[in-house]
Amino acid sequence: CDAPSPIAVTSTQTSMQKFAVLHGCFIATAAYGSPMAHELDALRAVRDKGLLTNPLGRLAVAGYYAMSPPIARAIASDERLRAGARKLLRPIVDVAEAGLRAASHLK
């Protein structure tokens, strides 16, 4: 104690962080109450890996982005509409999740 020590120098490097940008999925976000709901992961994957990879899919996504915000606002403000939207989305989410599971098994 109280004895000087030699100077030690070191360097470290951290890996680059990968951040996810959560956007789109307006109706599902309103239905499930959070952009972090796990159901949205599968829907985003279908959008990003399927729809956005071709012109027709990009057109469909652009149309959805143009029309869905007012629908999402209406759904978000009424629990009955949220429940109905979840019921309508459930088969779509199930198919999207099944596709993700199948794709992960192919890797």
Side-chain angles (χ1 to χ4, degrees):
C1 294
D2 289 333
S5 63
I7 296 174
V9 178
T10 186
S11 67
T12 60
Q13 185 173 355
T14 58
S15 59
M16 179 70 123
Q17 293 294 312
K18 294 180 185 176
F19 295 98
V21 176
L22 304 177
H23 60 339
C25 296
F26 301 110
I27 293 172
T29 298
Y32 290 104
S34 170
M36 302 297 288
H38 74 88
E39 292 86 355
L40 275 71
D41 294 338
L43 297 174
R44 286 189 189 102
V46 168
R47 178 199 60 202
D48 296 346
K49 296 176 182 171
L51 295 173
L52 294 180
T53 62
N54 63 80
L56 189 55
R58 286 191 293 275
L59 183 63
V61 170
Y64 172 80
Y65 284 168
M67 296 183 328
S68 63
I71 297 168
R73 280 192 294 277
I75 290 169
S77 64
D78 185 321
E79 182 52 41
R80 290 173 298 169
L81 292 176
R82 289 181 63 216
R86 286 191 301 271
K87 190 170 188 165
L88 290 172
L89 285 170
R90 185 76 254 164
I92 298 167
V93 170
D94 288 344
V95 168
E97 288 175 340
L100 287 178
R101 284 191 301 273
S104 71
H105 289 289
L106 295 175
K107 291 181 180 180

